């Protein structure tokens, strides 16, 4: 758990200073403190709860809706495939895998799936960090709504393209514009809440992707019945209608998405002051609002971020891999494609319940590490069942999907929030979330290459490496935990107090390197 230590009078005096170049943002994130200090001016708990409810209503629902659109647009490529996309565009061989980033839809051509490295993923991974740095300089309402509207237009364009090359270009551009969305939303949410209020909100937001996975197939199936209308095939209507819906929602979201806390229009000045004070208390003024070479070094050389990347990579690989074997398991049950789609819905709904229950518990207990290990252990049992596929009935294999999917969705959002909890400052949170999610998505690339057609339906390599990646995440979590405990101990014993002697301009931009900051686990 996080611990706190009282600072000396000299240190506190330094803390109350601001550099001469202080901006409105610096003042906000430093906290609005009266002369007596925050300890003697407690925040009214009734007013605080009212403020949190107001933030929740203005921030989470619109981001949830946008993430739902994003995920549906991301996975509709697989639904379009079974409606005749490949035939109409005269695709052959590895063409399909050239532009698709989802492992699930590449089941019959997995050997060529490494081509996906050069399309969606390459732009998605490369531009996540730059996108979050740009987001720091812009209004989130403008940035997020703009990139969503553009990729919505590109989704429509995919429904109108006449060639495979056009499809490839669209997927590359979608990866570029989508790169800034998910880490940008995590970044924005993290700037409104104290560290142990964050998991519940992130999991609510994250559940949009689970629900999209449950229902996107049925939605696409319904749209596909428009086959032949206006001379367009059903798969084209999937892209066109879902893309148009995204554009319309994106345009409307410009007027709804909140901006950064210090400029958000839905907050009154007393509410803004209260929010500033509570956030300042939570991070002990560990701010990072200016970008320079020292900021870059503190971000890109931070050991914690690379632990977070490995944790995320290990778990997200399981998330992608689940899509590989779900169709195989369901086909073994002898169901039609529609019934198989329907039977996949409970898997995602159960995972949603586990994710939300986990969010409540981990915030109330103010603990992250144990839930990550628990989620990975649950998924491990599922992997063990599938690795013994010929020794268990088909029903047990179906149950294994529940274990793996639920275990993955227990651990994955907690990993995201745990890293965010242990970095502080505007830039540090932006860069860390982008690096973790961007580089961590290499796990998806791995998943695309380890389910070999010749090993179907047992996939010993795929299941074995999936299990190994899961425990790479656990090992990284253990290292992360030990590092945080060691650093807290050093700060408790004054081993980092030399940083109080740094110039005020540097001290006010240390982020979580500030000696007053305590890590949480």
């Amino acid at each position: 758990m996080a611990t706190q230590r009282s600072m000396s009078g000299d240190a506190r005096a330094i803390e109350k200073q601001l550099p001469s170049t202080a901006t409105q943002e610096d003042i906000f994130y430093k906290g609005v403190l009266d002369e007596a200090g925050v300890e003697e001016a407690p925040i009214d708990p009734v007013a605080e709860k009212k403020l949190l409810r107001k933030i929740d209503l203005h921030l989470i629902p619109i981001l949830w809706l946008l993430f739902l659109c994003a995920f549906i647009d991301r996975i509709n490529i697989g639904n379009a495939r079974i409606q005749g996309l490949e035939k109409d565009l005269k695709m052959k061989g590895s063409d399909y895998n050239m532009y698709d980033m989802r492992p699930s839809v590449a089941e019959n051509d997995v050997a060529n799936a490494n081509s996906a490295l050069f399309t969606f993923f390459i732009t998605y991974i490369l531009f996540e960090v730059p996108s979050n740095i740009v987001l720091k300089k812009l209004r989130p309402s403008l940035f997020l709504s703009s990139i969503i509207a553009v990729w919505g237009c590109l989704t429509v364009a995919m429904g109108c393209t006449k060639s495979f090359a056009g499809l490839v270009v669209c997927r590359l551009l979608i990866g570029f514009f989508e790169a800034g969305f998910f880490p940008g939303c995590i970044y924005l949410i993290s700037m409104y809440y104290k560290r142990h209020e964050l998991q519940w909100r992130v999991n609510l937001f994250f559940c949009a992707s689970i629900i999209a996975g449950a229902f996107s197939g049925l939605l696409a199936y319904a749209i596909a019945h428009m086959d032949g209308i206006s001379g367009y095939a059903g798969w084209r209507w999937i892209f066109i209608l879902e893309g148009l819906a995204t554009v319309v929602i994106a345009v409307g979201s410009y007027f709804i998405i909140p901006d950064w806390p210090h400029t958000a229009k839905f907050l009154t000045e007393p509410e803004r002051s209260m929010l500033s004070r509570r956030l300042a208390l939570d991070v002990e003024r560990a701010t990072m609002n200016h970008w320079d070479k020292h900021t870059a070094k503190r971000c890109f050389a931070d050991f914690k971020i690379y632990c977070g990347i490995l944790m995320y990579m290990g778990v997200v690989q399981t998330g992608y891999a689940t899509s590989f074997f779900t169709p195989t398991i369901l086909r073994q049950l002898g169901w039609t494609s529609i019934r198989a789609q329907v039977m996949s819905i409970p898997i995602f709904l159960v995972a949603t319940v586990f994710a939300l229950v986990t969010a409540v518990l981990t915030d109330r207990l103010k603990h992250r590490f144990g839930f990550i290990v628990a989620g990975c252990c649950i998924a491990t049992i599922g992997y063990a069942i599938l690795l013994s596929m010929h020794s268990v009935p088909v029903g047990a294999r179906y149950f294994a999907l529940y274990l793996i999917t639920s275990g993955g969705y227990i651990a994955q959002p907690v990993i995201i929030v745990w890293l965010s909890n242990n970095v502080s400052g505007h830039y540090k949170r932006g860069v860390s979330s982008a690096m973790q999610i961007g580089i961590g998505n290499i796990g998806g690339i791995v998943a695309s290459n380890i389910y070999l057609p010749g090993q179907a339906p047992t996939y010993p390599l795929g299941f074995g490496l999936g299990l190994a990646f899961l425990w790479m995440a656990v090992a990284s979590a253990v290292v992360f935990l030990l590092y945080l405990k060691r650093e807290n101990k050093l700060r408790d014993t004054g081993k980092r107090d030399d940083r109080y002697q740094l110039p005020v301009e540097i001290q006010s931009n240390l982020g979580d390197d500030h000696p007053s900051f305590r890590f949480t686990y």
Side-chain angles (χ1 to χ4, degrees):
M1 305 292 177
T3 59
Q4 303 253 341
R5 180 174 60 89
S6 298
M7 294 183 294
S8 67
D10 290 340
R12 188 171 293 283
I14 293 174
E15 284 294 285
K16 290 187 177 181
Q17 301 178 43
L18 277 171
S20 58
T21 57
T23 64
Q24 177 188 5
E25 183 180 14
D26 294 319
I27 296 171
F28 177 86
Y29 287 110
K30 188 165 183 66
V32 182
L33 310 176
D34 57 32
E35 292 182 359
V38 294
E39 293 84 353
E40 281 125 40
I43 297 172
D44 179 7
V46 175
E48 187 175 24
K49 287 183 179 179
K50 183 179 178 181
L51 173 62
L52 280 175
R53 286 195 298 269
K54 186 174 184 179
I55 294 172
D56 288 342
L57 290 174
H58 281 82
L59 184 63
I60 304 303
I62 184 60
L63 295 184
W64 185 93
L65 178 61
L66 292 173
F67 193 29
L68 184 71
C69 292
F71 212 80
I72 288 175
D73 286 345
R74 184 185 301 186
I75 65 179
N76 60 13
I77 194 82
N79 301 314
R81 182 191 191 191
I82 63 175
Q83 298 297 331
L85 177 148
E86 291 175 295
K87 179 180 178 182
D88 289 354
L89 295 185
K90 299 180 175 60
M91 296 165 60
K92 56 185 178 180
S94 62
D95 284 354
Y96 182 74
N97 298 325
M98 278 288 292
Y99 66 84
D100 184 41
M101 56 77 62
R102 281 205 317 147
S104 61
V105 296
E107 190 175 354
N108 296 323
D109 289 311
V110 178
N112 298 306
N114 59 349
S115 300
L117 284 166
F118 306 104
T119 53
F120 182 95
F121 265 126
I122 198 164
T123 48
Y124 186 78
I125 291 173
L126 286 177
F127 290 99
E128 293 220 3
V129 173
S131 291
N132 263 16
I133 293 175
V134 170
L135 175 58
K136 166 66 173 65
K137 300 290 187 181
L138 299 175
R139 291 184 293 126
S141 58
L142 175 62
F143 180 81
L144 294 176
S145 61
S146 297
I147 62 174
I148 295 166
V150 172
W151 92 53
C153 292
L154 289 167
T155 301
V156 174
M158 288 173 62
C160 300
T161 186
K162 302 296 184 182
S163 68
F164 164 65
L167 209 56
V168 171
V169 171
C170 287
R171 290 301 291 178
L172 280 168
L173 291 174
I174 287 176
F176 172 77
F177 286 102
E178 193 173 331
F181 178 72
F182 184 64
C185 288
I186 298 296
Y187 181 15
L188 178 60
I189 294 171
S190 71
M191 301 308 295
Y192 273 91
Y193 298 100
K194 294 165 71 172
R195 289 184 286 174
H196 292 108
E197 298 167 345
L198 189 58
Q199 190 73 62
W200 170 247
R201 278 78 185 186
V202 168
N203 280 38
L204 282 174
F205 166 73
F206 192 82
C207 282
S209 66
I210 313 176
I211 293 172
F215 294 104
S216 63
L218 291 180
L219 176 63
Y221 177 78
I223 295 175
H225 281 88
M226 297 178 64
D227 186 44
I229 295 179
S230 298
Y232 284 100
W235 68 265
R236 293 187 182 274
W237 283 115
I238 291 174
F239 289 135
I240 292 171
L241 292 185
E242 292 182 357
L244 285 174
T246 297
V247 172
V248 170
I249 293 172
V251 171
S253 72
Y254 170 77
F255 303 98
I256 303 174
I257 298 173
D259 290 319
W260 301 116
H262 63 284
T263 58
K265 295 179 181 178
F266 75 92
L267 293 173
T268 64
E269 283 308 316
E271 290 170 338
R272 202 184 318 278
S273 175
M274 183 189 304
L275 180 59
S276 170
R277 291 178 59 199
R278 67 193 307 275
L279 293 178
L281 284 167
D282 186 49
V283 298
E284 288 288 330
R285 305 171 186 83
T287 57
M288 184 180 283
N289 299 322
H290 300 281
W291 185 266
D292 54 30
K293 64 180 181 180
H294 300 292
T295 304
K297 183 177 180 180
R298 293 187 188 281
C299 290
F300 294 115
D302 190 341
F303 175 77
K304 301 191 304 298
I305 294 178
Y306 294 96
C307 283
I309 289 170
L310 290 176
M311 286 189 289
Y312 187 77
M313 187 184 299
V315 171
V316 82
Q317 195 276 343
T318 285
Y320 279 110
T322 302
S323 298
F324 270 119
F325 47 79
T326 296
T328 300
I329 298 294
L330 298 183
R331 279 201 302 273
Q332 287 177 345
L333 295 177
W335 296 330
T336 64
S337 60
I338 295 301
R339 189 186 176 195
Q341 180 63 44
V342 171
M343 292 301 292
S344 71
I345 292 175
I347 297 174
F348 293 102
L349 294 182
V350 169
T352 301
V353 172
F354 271 98
L356 294 179
V357 170
T358 297
V360 173
L361 293 176
T362 186
D363 270 348
R364 287 186 180 178
L365 296 174
K366 298 184 178 180
H367 181 73
R368 311 294 189 207
F369 171 75
F371 289 93
I372 294 171
V373 175
C376 291
C377 287
I378 291 171
T380 295
I381 297 172
Y383 272 121
I385 293 173
L386 292 179
L387 284 168
S388 306
M389 184 175 291
H390 292 308
S391 303
V392 297
V394 173
R397 303 173 207 172
Y398 179 58
F399 176 67
L401 297 179
Y402 284 88
L403 296 177
I404 295 174
T405 305
S406 296
Y409 280 121
I410 287 172
Q412 188 173 340
V414 177
I415 285 171
I416 293 171
V417 171
W418 194 23
L419 178 61
S420 179
N421 283 170
N422 288 294
V423 296
S424 186
H426 223 310
Y427 275 116
K428 192 67 171 289
R429 286 182 178 174
V431 170
S432 66
S433 64
M435 288 179 65
Q436 182 185 39
I437 295 166
I439 301 175
N441 263 295
I442 291 174
I445 298 175
V446 173
S448 299
N449 288 277
I450 61 176
Y451 288 82
L452 306 178
Q455 295 184 346
T458 56
Y459 297 119
L461 177 63
F463 296 151
L465 279 180
L467 183 59
F469 263 70
L470 204 63
W471 283 89
M472 178 185 76
V474 174
S476 301
V478 171
V479 172
F480 191 49
L481 173 70
L482 295 176
Y483 179 85
L484 298 181
K485 286 189 171 184
R486 176 180 177 274
E487 189 62 28
N488 274 354
K489 183 177 180 180
L490 290 174
R491 296 183 186 200
D492 287 342
T493 55
K495 298 294 180 60
R496 302 299 191 208
D497 282 359
D498 58 297
R499 296 171 186 171
Y500 286 126
Q501 308 305 318
L502 293 170
V504 67
E505 289 82 4
I506 296 177
Q507 191 182 139
S508 65
N509 206 48
L510 286 175
D512 53 86
D513 283 336
H514 197 285
S516 68
F517 186 84
R518 292 298 181 273
F519 300 105
T520 181
Y521 33 82

